[in-house]
Amino acid sequence: MTDIHPAAMVAAGAVIGEGCRIGPGCVIGPDVVLEAGVELIAHVMVEGHTRLGAGVKVFPFVTIGMAPQDLKYKDQPTRCEVGAGTLIREGATIHRASVGGGGVTRVGANCMLMAAAHVAHDCEIGDGVILANNVMLGGHVHVDAGAFIGGGAAVHQTVRVGRLAMVSGLAGVTNDIPPFGYVFGLPARLVGFNRIGLLRRGASRDQLRTLRLVHSLLFKEPGEFAGRLADAEQRFGHEPLVMEIISFVRDPARRRQLVRPGRMAAPELGGVDEENGDGA
């Protein structure tokens, strides 16, 4: 049965699904839809045209669907959506879209947003993404499925983070990160690929060896980048993971340049082994 605490405020018009639990101090706006089994522990505010998918769990002091931090926004009916099974920890904020994007801020299914993470207007977050504590995503950021963004990292507006990419803690990301890329530092530099994340998701040793060769070819070898990209396609185009990287690089919808290659900080300064490129 649905359980709504007497100290919660649920506006007329809100749609509350079967088995939802709404704790004390929660405020639910009139255009909100909570699908079955959503749990708002306490002191959660959900506003605007916002839908939380089945089984979403939200910890205290989270706000979802509030107006974007965009001076051009004049209370137009834009949307916010959170996919099924996503976990949102204390103090996180997810803003609804502005009028300058696609009209929706979207967080995918089975994501985890840790404490004080911020998802700005018009962001598109894929399934299974993890945002660690205090991550800051600017407006119109796209984070593809399975990516991990470390604590305190800041991602500039309109940046795209590729599938299964990893961003180190405290990184400052101002350019696009290709799929499986591993970035480190301020400003963030591409220092390897997410080997551990790929292994955990079933990549073979042969695929990892191929990706290492492609990473070196594209981001370490001299010469014109377009030529190296064509060379990678000719030599390794039979490998779907390689073609995923090439398709990402060539995508005309991208609005920023690729992140520049760099080197990991020395281990004695807190860096991670560059040779392994270990990720999440």
Side-chain angles (χ1 to χ4, degrees):
M1 296 178 60
T2 298
D3 180 9
I4 301 177
H5 194 278
M9 299 176 61
V10 180
V15 178
I16 310 300
E18 182 178 357
C20 288
R21 299 178 63 187
I22 301 175
C26 293
V27 179
I28 310 300
D31 300 308
V32 170
V33 176
L34 305 184
E35 297 184 5
V38 168
E39 181 178 2
L40 312 180
I41 292 179
H43 302 286
V44 173
M45 175 170 281
V46 188
E47 275 290 343
H49 294 266
T50 297
R51 175 182 290 269
L52 304 188
V56 167
K57 186 172 183 178
V58 187
F59 280 68
F61 308 112
V62 168
T63 64
I64 305 174
M66 303 297 285
Q69 297 175 135
D70 182 342
L71 293 175
K72 300 184 296 298
Y73 181 76
K74 305 301 179 185
D75 205 31
Q76 295 93 339
T78 55
R79 297 181 292 128
C80 179
E81 298 176 359
V82 178
T86 285
L87 177 65
I88 305 173
R89 295 302 304 252
E90 298 86 346
T93 53
I94 306 172
H95 289 171
R96 65 181 180 261
S98 69
V99 293
V104 59
T105 301
R106 182 177 290 109
V107 176
N110 301 310
C111 296
M112 179 164 66
L113 279 59
M114 298 187 194
H118 174 63
V119 178
H121 59 86
D122 302 282
C123 284
E124 292 274 351
I125 311 300
D127 295 344
V129 167
I130 297 177
L131 306 182
N133 299 321
N134 300 297
V135 164
M136 298 167 283
L137 302 185
H140 306 271
V141 166
H142 284 220
V143 182
D144 293 339
F148 176 90
I149 302 181
V155 183
H156 197 282
Q157 64 188 31
T158 72
V159 161
R160 183 174 171 188
V161 179
R163 186 173 76 90
L164 281 178
M166 182 177 180
V167 177
S168 71
L170 301 178
V173 182
T174 57
N175 289 309
D176 290 352
I177 303 170
F180 327 121
Y182 178 37
V183 302
F184 177 91
L186 180 65
R189 293 291 184 257
L190 185 69
V191 296
F193 66 98
N194 188 3
R195 183 177 65 90
I196 298 300
L198 284 159
L199 278 173
R200 289 175 178 174
R201 289 159 179 83
S204 69
R205 297 287 178 176
D206 286 342
Q207 287 176 311
L208 293 180
R209 281 191 288 269
T210 298
L211 286 175
R212 186 179 298 281
L213 289 171
V214 170
H215 176 83
S216 295
L217 172 61
L218 292 179
F219 303 110
K220 295 182 179 181
E221 297 294 329
E224 184 182 15
F225 183 76
R228 285 179 279 142
L229 191 67
D231 188 19
E233 182 175 17
Q234 182 178 11
R235 294 170 58 188
F236 305 107
H238 60 280
E239 171 53 62
L241 296 180
V242 173
M243 287 308 302
E244 187 172 344
I245 296 172
I246 291 172
S247 296
F248 179 96
V249 172
R250 290 176 172 167
D251 186 353
R254 290 196 307 108
R255 299 168 64 179
R256 291 193 172 270
Q257 296 180 343
L258 282 178
V259 63
R260 293 183 179 181
R263 294 187 60 84
M264 182 67 73
E268 62 269 23
L269 300 179
V272 181
D273 181 10
E274 179 184 3
E275 175 64 22
N276 287 333
D278 288 351

